[in-house]
Every structure is written in structure tokens, then in C-alpha cells.
Amino acid sequence: MKKSLVFILSSIALLTAVFIMLGVLFNKDENQKQEGMTDIFAISIKNEIAYVSYHKGQATINLDSQQNLVQLSVEKEIADITFSEDGTHLAYIVRNKDLENHIGSDIHVIDLGSLIDQVVHTSDSLITEMAFDPKYPEKLFYIEASTYTNYSPIASKHPHDFDVYSFDLMKDIHTKHTDMKKYSMGSLQVSAEKNSVYVQTNDDTYNETAEEVFASKERIFEIPLDTPDKKSVISNPVQAEDVYDFILLPEQQSIIYQAVAGTGTNGIYEYELFTFNWKTHQTEQLTTLKESTSKPAVGPDDKIYFMVDREFGSRKPDYHLYRMNQDGSGIEELELNG
């Protein structure tokens, strides 16, 4: 064999080995590629903002006064966070990213003074949201899905059969409050005055077939915990569009909620924030950002905080936190170190 041919074959073999080694060293699975802000955040009565971001696939809870308060392994994700009413504790939900093979959830509570982190509840199902009871701070309400299925052969798996639960942190008592098995449910809030919770879910009260359930509209419900079967719609009962994330403003007798406002030039829905006054039945559009605006929350300064995804519809979202007055004026973006 000629020396030149040996040299060429040896070079090819060497380059192949180098590329294989580089592939092994730099190959990252999808879990390790996650980066940047999510739409999960919470505001305390002390006006501290906690938010969830990913760095090299690791879910992180950041706090104004304590960066990287929590950082998980790349196999885990954070589903929700919420402050206690006095702002001294932060609760968060941890679950596996691989929901196909590892269903389950843990609720942690961090004492923000000592930074002691405790697992207070473990479930074999998917817990998606939670909220402390303003009337009884030791009680934590949560939404749990009992199934993780694809209801349609062409659809991917999602959590379904949602109901509302609570547990008493002091007495270690768990309670299932509803038996609704809803197709979807979110935006859980607990009344500060009444023995009620509020959720956003589909209005299938009078539906009888699966087709009717799929076609039902998303509405905001009040569920009286003493008589959960007597739930009632508190969003605009005649509105044709679906309503999604919301926040109650009882003193103003109004709701601020997310809904589709139109379609962009790229053919993708634009979600904005609206307000509905249940006393006057007046509806008003508050934002015109022409992006995906979501997750409204009221801060101790009485301003409305919300997330905006500037890449809605693409594979990688680009979340930014905004703030505005309750009438929609004074919209400004907040700087976060996500």
C-alpha cells in the first residue's frame, strides 16, 4: 500500500475518532438545553418577586434578595410557586420532566428566614397549582390531576381529571373538596372572605357528549366549598370567547383575565388582558401588546404584574415580566436577572 493512501486512511480514522469524542462531550439531551425565564412567578406582601428560570436545564427559583434560592437537577421541573400570606414562606411544586415514565409531585415549603426547605406533601399524581388560604395561613389548597393521557389519538399526553384539594400543614389533614374530574383547570385562588375557591375551567355543565365537552367554553367559576355542586360562573356569562388566567379584584368588583384579542400577521393568536366588572357587566381591554400576555397577579402596591411571551408560537418562549396600573395605564417592563 502506498504511503499516501495509508496517510489518507489514517487521517480519516483520526478525524472520525475526534468527531465521535466531541459528539460524546458536547451532546446534550433536551433536559440540559433548557435556558431562560419561564412564566412562573409570585409576589409577596413584602413586594419581593420570586421567579423560575432554567440554566443548563436546571430549574432555579430566584428571589429579589436571594438569587438561586433553589436549584434542581436537570431531571426535575418546578410547576408552581406561591408565597404565604405574610411573605415569610415560599411553597413550590417539584415533579419529573419525564411525565411519560415518572408521574408524581412533591410540595416543598421554604422558611425564608432560616432557608430550611421541607417536603410537606408527596403525591403519586400531578399537582399543577397551589395557593395558601388567606383566612387560615396553615392551609394550602392545590389542584391535582388524576390522569395523564391523550384523549385523542393525534394529541400528545396532558394531565386531565382535575379536582381541588387542600391540606392543613399543622394538623396534617388532607381534604378533597370537589369531584368534578374536569378536562382542564387552572388559575386557582382562595377567597379572603368566603369559604370558596375560584378556578378557570371549561363550562360543560349542560354537555352530554365528548364532542360537546371539547367544544365547551373556558370560564371562571366560584366553587363554594360547603356545596361544591353549586358552582357558578363569575366571568361574563354572555362572552363568546374563552377566558384563561385571571385575578380577582373584589374591592373593584371586577376580574382581570387573559383572552384572545385577535390574530397577528403571522397567523398566531394574540392574547391580551381584559377586565370584567360583575356589577356593571362592562368589559374593557387593558393591554394592546400584540404578544401573548398572561398570568395577571396583583402586588402589594395594587399594581397588576403579568408575563409577556415575545416568541409565542415558536419552539422557545421568551418571557418578560411587566407591571401596570389596574386601569391598564403605566405599562412598564421589569428587569430580572433570569
Side-chain angles (χ1 to χ4, degrees):
M1 184 179 295
K2 294 182 178 179
K3 288 185 177 179
S4 57
L5 181 58
V6 172
F7 175 76
I8 293 172
L9 292 175
S10 299
S11 299
I12 292 174
L14 178 62
L15 287 173
T16 302
V18 169
F19 285 131
I20 290 173
M21 291 180 63
L22 290 173
V24 171
L25 288 174
F26 293 99
N27 181 42
K28 295 180 179 178
D29 62 26
E30 289 303 315
N31 287 343
Q32 295 173 309
K33 293 177 182 177
Q34 286 181 280
E35 288 286 343
M37 286 277 295
T38 72
D39 62 345
I40 301 171
F41 74 100
I43 304 172
S44 77
I45 195 172
K46 301 176 181 178
N47 211 21
E48 282 196 301
I49 299 174
Y51 55 98
V52 177
S53 61
Y54 282 86
H55 178 61
K56 294 183 179 179
Q58 291 184 279
T60 304
I61 298 178
N62 308 282
L63 191 64
D64 285 354
S65 58
Q66 183 74 39
Q67 291 291 320
N68 297 340
L69 181 65
V70 172
Q71 191 161 53
L72 307 179
S73 64
V74 294
E75 294 82 14
K76 302 288 186 178
E77 64 180 8
I78 295 172
D80 193 21
I81 58 176
T82 186
F83 283 103
S84 60
E85 288 300 306
D86 61 4
T88 61
H89 293 75
L90 180 73
Y92 63 100
I93 303 168
V94 176
R95 62 192 189 194
N96 286 295
K97 292 177 182 176
D98 180 12
L99 297 179
E100 294 282 346
N101 300 304
H102 301 286
I103 298 292
S105 311
D106 293 327
I107 295 181
H108 294 239
V109 174
I110 306 174
D111 183 324
L112 296 177
S114 65
L115 298 184
I116 294 175
D117 187 331
Q118 290 184 299
V119 177
V120 297
H121 176 50
T122 296
S123 172
D124 293 333
S125 299
L126 282 179
I127 299 174
T128 56
E129 292 188 23
M130 59 186 169
F132 281 99
D133 186 346
K135 304 179 295 296
Y136 181 56
E138 287 76 23
K139 182 177 285 187
L140 189 60
F141 282 84
Y142 59 94
I143 295 175
E144 185 173 285
S146 61
T147 62
Y148 184 71
T149 58
N150 45 354
Y151 277 21
S152 164
I154 60 173
S156 58
K157 286 185 176 180
H158 287 284
H160 298 294
D161 290 352
F162 289 90
D163 275 296
V164 178
Y165 300 75
S166 74
F167 73 94
D168 190 314
L169 295 169
M170 298 296 290
K171 302 176 182 176
D172 195 26
I173 297 175
H174 289 256
T175 305
K176 182 179 181 182
H177 293 281
T178 65
D179 189 21
M180 302 165 68
K181 294 182 172 57
K182 298 295 288 186
Y183 179 72
S184 64
M185 183 183 288
S187 211
L188 172 67
Q189 292 166 54
V190 185
S191 173
E193 300 174 347
K194 298 188 287 186
N195 190 29
S196 297
V197 297
Y198 303 90
V199 297
Q200 175 272 336
T201 186
N202 57 311
D203 186 5
D204 58 356
T205 305
Y206 302 106
N207 297 151
E208 296 181 353
T209 66
E211 289 75 16
E212 289 175 331
V213 172
F214 285 125
S216 61
K217 293 296 182 182
E218 300 291 323
R219 298 287 182 251
I220 300 170
F221 287 83
E222 177 180 355
I223 303 174
L225 297 177
D226 294 330
T227 54
D229 292 339
K230 296 184 178 179
K231 64 184 184 300
S232 58
V233 175
I234 62 169
S235 52
N236 190 338
V238 297
Q239 182 169 346
E241 298 80 14
D242 293 308
V243 299
Y244 300 102
D245 305 333
F246 72 98
I247 185 72
L248 285 176
L249 301 175
E251 294 181 356
Q252 286 74 31
Q253 298 178 314
S254 62
I255 307 164
I256 292 178
Y257 62 91
Q258 178 206 41
V260 173
T263 304
T265 54
N266 53 4
I268 296 176
Y269 283 146
E270 295 171 343
Y271 291 83
E272 304 286 357
L273 295 182
F274 298 78
T275 183
F276 169 69
N277 186 298
W278 63 75
K279 191 74 173 180
T280 64
H281 278 212
Q282 294 295 310
T283 297
E284 180 182 354
Q285 184 170 338
L286 296 178
T287 63
T288 54
L289 296 172
K290 297 187 179 300
E291 305 279 2
S292 176
T293 306
S294 64
K295 301 290 185 74
V298 63
D301 53 2
D302 286 334
K303 291 181 179 290
I304 303 301
Y305 293 72
F306 56 94
M307 280 289 180
V308 175
D309 181 3
R310 295 177 181 164
E311 293 292 336
F312 181 67
S314 68
R315 294 187 61 182
K316 185 179 179 182
D318 181 20
Y319 290 109
H320 297 260
L321 184 63
Y322 280 69
R323 177 172 62 190
M324 68 179 179
N325 298 318
Q326 294 185 13
D327 62 0
S329 65
I331 293 179
E332 59 179 338
E333 182 180 350
L334 302 181
E335 293 295 330
L336 295 173
N337 297 317

